[in-house]
Amino acid sequence: ALGRIDRDLKIRGIDRLLSLPLAERGLADGSLDINCSFGKSPQRDTYMRYLEEVVRTSMVVAVRVDDPIVDVKDLQELVRLSKQGDTIIVRRGTAFVERLEKLGAVIDNQSTDNKVNLSKLINRRGRFYYNIDYLMAAQLREPSAAGKIRMLPTAFEPQVTYIAVSKKLPPSVDKRIQAAMAELRTTGEFQQILTRYGLSPSESK
């Protein structure tokens, strides 16, 4: 959508899935110019600029429908349950793998494929499945999950994410991206995109 508004913004890569480490490395060394959407961190501050707030996301937990658990109140409880033998399934190459590992959680992060991870939960190869709210919501709408999976009510790790660009990209490009985003917001197309993918806008925009 940005490239359609400003024809000189040649934004590509929608057909190429990058793990988080590869995307971060690309922005750091300049082989990648722009990515959407990144949360802020002190490390990322050193090599990327945050241009536009995009969406507000949270992490959620899914379990099988026959699981007696009602809710998990916080990450500490989730970690404690994992140490008791209730493995947390999580997608490899994502930031939340590192955060769960730092907390000492017992995880299964062998796959980068969300469908594989959903199948693991259905087939009892873990008790909890931890993923971003909008991806999880989409997965629970899939026929393979119908009547088998439910989402627990508590959300974890809320954050605002941004369109980010490499600091190796000339700053003059920033204003063009921001101008294109402003037009998307004014015309309502930005909200239409969010609605299409079940996303929540950031609160300050």
Side-chain angles (χ1 to χ4, degrees), residues 1-12 33-34 169-170 172-180:
L2 295 174
R4 189 182 66 253
I5 291 172
D6 186 335
R7 299 290 183 180
D8 289 330
L9 293 175
K10 308 295 185 183
I11 301 173
R12 299 184 178 89
D33 292 326
I34 181 172
L169 189 69
S172 58
V173 179
D174 295 7
K175 291 183 178 179
R176 299 177 62 174
I177 293 171
Q178 290 168 326

Side-chain angles (χ1 to χ4, degrees), residues 129-142:
Y129 177 27
Y130 195 70
N131 207 348
I132 298 173
D133 50 7
Y134 61 88
L135 290 178
M136 188 77 84
Q139 286 196 272
L140 266 61
R141 291 193 294 268
E142 295 180 4

Side-chain angles (χ1 to χ4, degrees), residues 63-67 118 121-122 140 143-150:
V63 296
R64 291 178 294 277
V65 292
D66 60 355
D67 194 311
L118 182 64
L121 181 64
I122 292 171
L140 266 61
S144 63
K148 300 176 182 177
I149 303 298
R150 61 184 172 87

Side-chain angles (χ1 to χ4, degrees), residues 160-187:
V160 172
T161 64
Y162 299 79
I163 289 180
V165 298
S166 170
K167 285 190 173 181
K168 294 186 181 296
L169 189 69
S172 58
V173 179
D174 295 7
K175 291 183 178 179
R176 299 177 62 174
I177 293 171
Q178 290 168 326
M181 274 296 297
E183 184 168 339
L184 285 180
R185 295 182 194 277
T186 299
T187 63

Side-chain angles (χ1 to χ4, degrees), residues 86-185:
D86 298 327
T87 301
I88 304 167
I89 301 164
V90 62
R91 182 160 55 95
R92 191 176 77 233
T94 53
F96 27 99
V97 167
E98 183 178 353
R99 292 198 290 270
L100 287 173
E101 287 179 332
K102 285 182 178 179
L103 291 171
V106 177
I107 64 172
D108 174 350
N109 66 325
Q110 296 302 304
S111 178
T112 61
D113 190 319
N114 283 320
K115 289 185 178 180
V116 170
N117 288 327
L118 182 64
S119 177
K120 285 182 178 182
L121 181 64
I122 292 171
N123 291 292
R124 302 180 181 274
R125 294 174 59 188
R127 184 180 186 186
F128 303 110
Y129 177 27
Y130 195 70
N131 207 348
I132 298 173
D133 50 7
Y134 61 88
L135 290 178
M136 188 77 84
Q139 286 196 272
L140 266 61
R141 291 193 294 268
E142 295 180 4
S144 63
K148 300 176 182 177
I149 303 298
R150 61 184 172 87
M151 197 184 304
L152 299 182
T154 296
F156 308 91
E157 305 185 81
Q159 67 171 338
V160 172
T161 64
Y162 299 79
I163 289 180
V165 298
S166 170
K167 285 190 173 181
K168 294 186 181 296
L169 189 69
S172 58
V173 179
D174 295 7
K175 291 183 178 179
R176 299 177 62 174
I177 293 171
Q178 290 168 326
M181 274 296 297
E183 184 168 339
L184 285 180
R185 295 182 194 277

Side-chain angles (χ1 to χ4, degrees), residues 34-104:
I34 181 172
N35 208 315
C36 178
S37 56
F38 270 104
K40 289 184 176 181
S41 76
Q43 180 183 9
R44 291 172 179 172
D45 292 349
T46 64
Y47 58 80
M48 67 175 72
R49 299 190 295 271
Y50 311 98
L51 300 190
E52 288 283 326
E53 293 185 11
V54 183
V55 296
R56 184 179 67 256
T57 66
S58 296
M59 304 302 298
V60 292
V61 173
V63 296
R64 291 178 294 277
V65 292
D66 60 355
D67 194 311
I69 195 166
V70 175
D71 198 9
V72 176
K73 67 178 184 298
D74 53 34
L75 275 180
Q76 286 68 35
E77 182 179 2
L78 185 65
V79 170
R80 178 177 59 79
L81 289 169
S82 77
K83 290 178 178 179
Q84 294 175 358
D86 298 327
T87 301
I88 304 167
I89 301 164
V90 62
R91 182 160 55 95
R92 191 176 77 233
T94 53
F96 27 99
V97 167
E98 183 178 353
R99 292 198 290 270
L100 287 173
E101 287 179 332
K102 285 182 178 179
L103 291 171

